[in-house]
Amino acid sequence: MLHQILGHAYDCRFRGRKRERLWVAAADAGRRRLRVRSELGTEIGLDLHEPRWLADGTVLHDDGHRILVVARKPEQVMVVTLPESDPATAFRIGHALGNRHTPSEIDGCEIVVPVTETPELAARPLLAYGVDQARIRFEERAFAAGAPPACAGASHEHPVGRAHVHHHHDKGAHEH
């Protein structure tokens, strides 16, 4: 059982070590407890004292010869190109994704979203808000490899430090 993050694979102290990758999906990278199998079949139990983001390259174990390193496999994502001179379209894109609490990350002038159902279902809210299909494409890439995505779920922190949960399908339910 592993209980702490030791650093990043590119830290000088890990130079020369063999690397054994632990495939951790972006959806699981924020979990405090996790069971995962490495690329070589080593089974790992993780029980961190507090939630931390398991970014690509995070070192979880070092025996002096080999390090166990978190790795993110490419997954299907929807990439939405933001307009440079059309703030109304940018607002519609943000609203369509934010209203569904879709985990997303900004990469330059693009918003990247994991596809959890089908590409058609992932694009549907954007198209319903009038976003041009030409702004939407699908590809394989590691999602949230370096940091947690924005809007990673229905429960999130607000600037005042109070968490609340949105229940969009329950009449009038907002827990604060």
Side-chain angles (χ1 to χ4, degrees), residues 88-156:
T89 297
F91 178 81
R92 286 194 304 274
I93 291 168
H95 190 266
L97 296 174
N99 196 38
R100 292 186 50 179
H101 294 276
T102 304
S104 56
E105 59 184 357
I106 304 282
D107 184 10
C109 62
E110 298 175 330
I111 296 178
V112 182
V113 178
V115 174
T116 58
E117 309 98 4
T118 65
E120 295 78 20
L121 288 174
R124 184 180 290 169
L126 294 168
L127 299 173
Y129 276 90
V131 175
D132 183 359
Q133 175 73 41
R135 295 195 171 281
I136 303 168
R137 73 179 188 280
F138 297 90
E139 62 185 50
E140 296 280 323
R141 78 162 73 160
F143 179 70
C151 194
S155 177
H156 52 272

Side-chain angles (χ1 to χ4, degrees), residues 47-64:
D47 185 9
L48 298 174
H49 300 293
E50 59 187 42
R52 299 271 311 272
W53 188 253
L54 298 175
D56 190 70
T58 298
V59 176
L60 297 174
H61 177 73
D62 177 13
D63 66 8

Side-chain angles (χ1 to χ4, degrees), residues 33 40 66 83 88 96 117 134-135 156 174:
R33 291 185 178 152
L40 300 178
R66 166 190 66 123
E117 309 98 4
R135 295 195 171 281
H156 52 272
H174 259 355

Side-chain angles (χ1 to χ4, degrees), residues 17-35:
R17 305 278 204 292
K18 291 183 181 183
R19 296 180 184 186
E20 186 172 344
R21 293 181 293 193
L22 301 168
W23 298 111
V24 177
D28 293 330
R31 293 180 53 194
R32 190 175 75 77
R33 291 185 178 152
L34 186 64
R35 185 157 297 284

